[in-house]
């Protein structure tokens, strides 16, 4: 059994489907993400990318299929969803910080509430995580005193504080002014070097080309093609991928 655990991917999607009413958004998607891998999901708007991410921690309820995180089926009612969710961090487009709390307090909140850490322990972890994302000097600042990029880094620190096995990033830079994007991407690059498993939905194609281990191209609710960045960006096999990438070059 132990051997099975060491060889299993950290995230496994099997026949994942999701419909909203009559509209089928995800059509039997299969995907494995290995430990320490950074997987980028790209594709046109409405292709199901964000829905796929949100199903991975059941922010959206899948219509069918199975999702295994660290070998556990998160759709099985016998498994403790709140406990499993701590293994799957998520960073959103909007930072979702509490305006009346400092950066440090925002990071401490889940540690105190979810993991029942003491105030001292939560504070120490919060400071460590904020330092890790380059905000050691900003721990006592309120969100209104931080740039958008700094707020997003607080959100990343908050996610990391819970010790996840995998972090999902849903368009983490799309709400940011262009000059603030680099700081967030730098943190993501550093996490990759530290071996964090990440699944990223983003329009940052240059970053995907540089940093991803694998790029997944989605369109019409299915994975059309996946492979290393040099293949997807340099020699895509599928016409749909080529069309999408050439439409980006046209901008």
């Amino acid at each position: 059994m132990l051997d099975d655990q060491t060889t299993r991917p950290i995230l496994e999607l099997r026949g994942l489907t999701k419909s909203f009413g009559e509209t089928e958004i995800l059509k039997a998607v299969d995907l494995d993400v290995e430990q320490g891998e950074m997987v980028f999901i790209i594709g046109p708007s409405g292709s199901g990318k964000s829905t796929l991410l949100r199903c991975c921690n059941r922010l959206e309820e899948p219509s069918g299929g199975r999702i295994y995180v660290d070998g556990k089926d998160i759709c099985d009612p016998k498994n403790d969803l709140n406990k499993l969710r701590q293994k799957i961090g998520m960073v959103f487009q909007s930072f979702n910080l509490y305006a009346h709390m400092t950066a440090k307090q925002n990071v401490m909140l889940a540690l105190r509430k979810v993991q029942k850490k003491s105030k001292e322990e939560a504070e120490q972890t919060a400071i460590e995580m904020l330092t890790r994302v380059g905000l050691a000097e900003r721990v006592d600042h309120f969100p209104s005193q931080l740039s958008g990029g700094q707020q997003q880094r607080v959100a990343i620190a908050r996610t990391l504080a819970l010790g996840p096995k995998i972090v999902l990033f849903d368009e983490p830079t799309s709400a940011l002014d262009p000059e603030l994007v680099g700081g967030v991407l730098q943190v993501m690059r550093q996490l990759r070097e530290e071996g964090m498993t990440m699944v990223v939905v983003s329009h940052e194609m240059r970053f995907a080309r540089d940093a991803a281990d694998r790029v997944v191209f989605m369109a019409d609710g299915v994975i059309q093609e996946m492979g290393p960045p040099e293949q997807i960006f340099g020699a895509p096999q599928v016409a749909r991928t080529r069309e999408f990438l050439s439409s980006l070059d046209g901008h």
Side-chain angles (χ1 to χ4, degrees), residues 65-109:
R66 286 273 168 254
I67 301 166
Y68 299 93
V69 174
D70 206 18
K72 296 258 189 338
D73 180 356
I74 71 163
C75 299
D76 185 338
K78 291 197 292 289
N79 288 327
D80 180 344
L81 180 59
N82 286 333
K83 208 164 191 174
L84 281 171
R85 271 205 179 126
Q86 291 179 51
K87 294 187 174 189
I88 323 163
M90 187 146 186
V91 176
F92 300 91
Q93 187 172 339
S94 53
F95 326 121
N96 301 336
L97 300 178
Y98 289 102
H100 65 288
M101 290 183 174
T102 63
K104 182 174 70 181
Q105 290 167 334
N106 267 286
V107 177
M108 285 173 67
L109 187 64

Side-chain angles (χ1 to χ4, degrees), residues 5-191:
Q5 206 50 48
T6 50
T7 53
R8 281 187 83 161
I10 198 90
L11 176 68
E12 303 166 80
L13 308 183
R14 295 286 176 269
L16 182 65
T17 61
K18 176 65 185 175
S19 298
F20 294 104
E22 298 292 296
T23 313
E24 204 179 10
I25 304 291
L26 297 174
K27 304 169 185 172
V29 174
D30 291 329
L31 179 66
D32 286 348
V33 177
E34 301 294 339
Q35 191 152 1
E37 197 177 24
M38 184 186 222
V39 175
F40 248 80
I41 303 179
I42 65 170
S45 293
S47 57
K49 309 181 298 292
S50 289
T51 301
L52 182 137
L53 277 196
R54 293 170 71 85
C55 284
C56 289
N57 63 1
R58 280 184 54 198
L59 280 176
E60 291 289 357
E61 211 42 60
S63 303
R66 286 273 168 254
I67 301 166
Y68 299 93
V69 174
D70 206 18
K72 296 258 189 338
D73 180 356
I74 71 163
C75 299
D76 185 338
K78 291 197 292 289
N79 288 327
D80 180 344
L81 180 59
N82 286 333
K83 208 164 191 174
L84 281 171
R85 271 205 179 126
Q86 291 179 51
K87 294 187 174 189
I88 323 163
M90 187 146 186
V91 176
F92 300 91
Q93 187 172 339
S94 53
F95 326 121
N96 301 336
L97 300 178
Y98 289 102
H100 65 288
M101 290 183 174
T102 63
K104 182 174 70 181
Q105 290 167 334
N106 267 286
V107 177
M108 285 173 67
L109 187 64
L111 290 166
R112 299 274 287 141
K113 283 201 150 166
V114 179
Q115 294 190 342
K116 307 287 186 251
K117 295 264 166 74
S118 70
K119 185 166 184 281
E120 293 71 26
E121 204 179 351
E123 188 166 12
Q124 188 184 349
T125 302
I127 291 169
E128 278 169 19
M129 293 302 149
L130 287 163
T131 302
R132 192 172 166 188
V133 299
L135 294 175
E137 310 298 310
R138 299 276 191 279
V139 296
D140 294 319
H141 285 52
F142 289 93
S144 60
Q145 300 169 305
L146 300 171
S147 72
Q150 289 169 336
Q151 290 182 59
Q152 187 60 293
R153 279 148 60 195
V154 174
I156 294 172
R158 177 181 58 190
T159 298
L160 296 176
L162 294 173
K165 292 284 186 91
I166 180 169
V167 180
L168 313 173
F169 289 87
D170 190 7
E171 302 278 10
T173 58
S174 63
L176 300 179
D177 294 334
E179 70 273 17
L180 301 176
V181 168
V184 172
L185 297 184
Q186 184 53 44
V187 169
M188 293 169 70
R189 200 182 290 272
Q190 175 191 325
L191 290 176

